Amino acid sequence: MSFSRLHRGQIEKMRAAGQVAAATLARVGVALRPGMSTAAIDALVRADTARFGARPSQLGYHGFPGAVCTSRNDVACHGVPREDERLEPGDIVSVDVTSELDGYHGDTCATFFVGEPSAEARHVVDVARRCRDAGIAAVRDGARLGDVGFAMHQLARSEGCDVVRVVGGHGIGRRMHEPPHVPFFGEPGVGARLRAGMAITIEPIVTLGAPALVEDADGWTLRTEDGRLAAQFEHTVLVTRAGCEILTRC
Ligand code: MF3
Ligand code: CO
Ligand code: CO
């Protein structure tokens, strides 16, 4: 199976879209404080995205009601911004920004501390960031998806954590979600091969406890079944001969 590969002009557009998403995520990171509602994060993302002449890709995606996913504490992903959800000291919140500029998408997520984190919060966030970096380090022309997933899962396990199974990374380009599916686990030497010119996301969701998730009544929010913390970091990367180029680096 072969996946779409970008040519030079498209790569330039992916770089530009990635920089918009990264800049908006950074803007959110400095604005977060206790008492802020997740709806206020959404408003900030809408305003900041518009400033760049871009569009929040997630707004209306399969009916998603927000411009951004805001996933607090035990919420693993797809948290819907709400007026009545306020950030409290000690929370962690992952903010997943996807921006469309000139027909191409950039997708990036980070988990932030609100106030002083607990030791558990520090651990799961630190492991999630390192898992993303381990996944990125496994990306290169000819690498298999199983190599990338194994690198992420192996690190999570070695730190007493786990990775979510029911969602994954994805190809990205003219659409936010394109093939291939990029699991956060896998076996070395198994799975489709990455090729230079493909753009994919590396976005492990790491759980402090078990990786099983349950969906809220809103049909979007995915929480850990055991109620323990989950954290996520995401970059959009361009596969190259020697490795990859991070398109959403701030
Ligand atoms: N940005 C998310 C991802 O990393 C997409 C969430 S889809 C939404 O793939 F509809 F929930 F926004
Ligand atoms: Co994302
Ligand atoms: Co993504």
Side-chain angles (χ1 to χ4, degrees):
M1 181 159 182
S2 74
F3 306 107
S4 83
R5 293 160 77 170
L6 301 163
H7 55 67
R8 197 190 307 260
Q10 294 175 307
I11 290 169
E12 277 309 319
K13 291 183 176 186
M14 287 294 290
R15 287 188 178 122
Q19 285 311 297
V20 169
T24 299
L25 181 62
R27 174 68 69 97
V28 169
V30 298
L32 287 181
R33 61 200 136 60
M36 190 175 183
S37 71
T38 51
I41 299 174
D42 186 90
L44 180 56
V45 166
R46 288 179 200 232
D48 203 61
T49 305
R51 194 166 70 87
F52 294 107
R55 188 187 75 82
S57 314
Q58 296 172 110
L59 185 59
Y61 183 80
H62 292 283
F64 187 75
V68 60
C69 294
T70 51
S71 304
R72 206 168 61 101
N73 297 333
D74 61 326
V75 178
C77 62
H78 303 169
V80 178
R82 296 156 56 113
E83 291 293 351
D84 63 356
E85 181 185 41
R86 289 192 183 271
L87 302 179
E88 290 172 29
D91 281 352
I92 60 172
V93 63
S94 73
V95 177
D96 190 336
V97 173
T98 315
S99 312
E100 179 183 358
L101 181 72
D102 201 10
Y104 290 81
H105 299 264
D107 189 4
T108 184
C109 168
T111 304
F112 300 99
F113 300 124
V114 181
E116 263 315 292
S118 65
E120 282 200 331
R122 266 189 213 285
H123 184 63
V124 73
V125 169
D126 179 60
V127 173
R129 184 190 296 102
R130 288 165 53 211
C131 282
R132 177 202 61 190
D133 293 342
I136 288 172
V139 171
R140 74 182 66 81
D141 183 83
R144 292 182 183 271
L145 288 170
D147 302 332
V148 176
F150 179 78
M152 294 190 272
H153 192 196
Q154 188 55 23
L155 175 54
R157 274 186 296 212
S158 76
E159 293 289 351
C161 297
D162 213 328
V163 294
V164 163
R165 313 303 158 88
V166 294
V167 299
H170 47 90
I172 181 167
R174 294 185 67 84
R175 286 174 296 136
M176 175 171 67
H177 286 163
E178 295 184 357
H181 177 71
V182 183
F184 314 143
F185 59 95
E187 272 183 72
V190 174
R193 279 188 199 279
L194 297 173
R195 289 297 177 203
M198 290 172 58
I200 60 170
T201 69
I202 300 296
E203 53 174 301
I205 305 173
V206 170
T207 57
L208 202 51
L213 303 182
V214 290
E215 191 180 275
D216 278 7
D218 64 13
W220 283 104
T221 307
L222 289 170
R223 299 177 188 273
T224 59
E225 195 169 51
D226 63 11
R228 298 188 70 191
L229 297 176
Q232 181 177 27
F233 286 84
E234 173 175 27
H235 271 315
T236 298
V237 305
L238 175 71
V239 182
T240 63
R241 296 273 293 278
C244 67
E245 175 185 335
I246 298 172
L247 299 176
T248 48
R249 190 172 340 246
C250 188

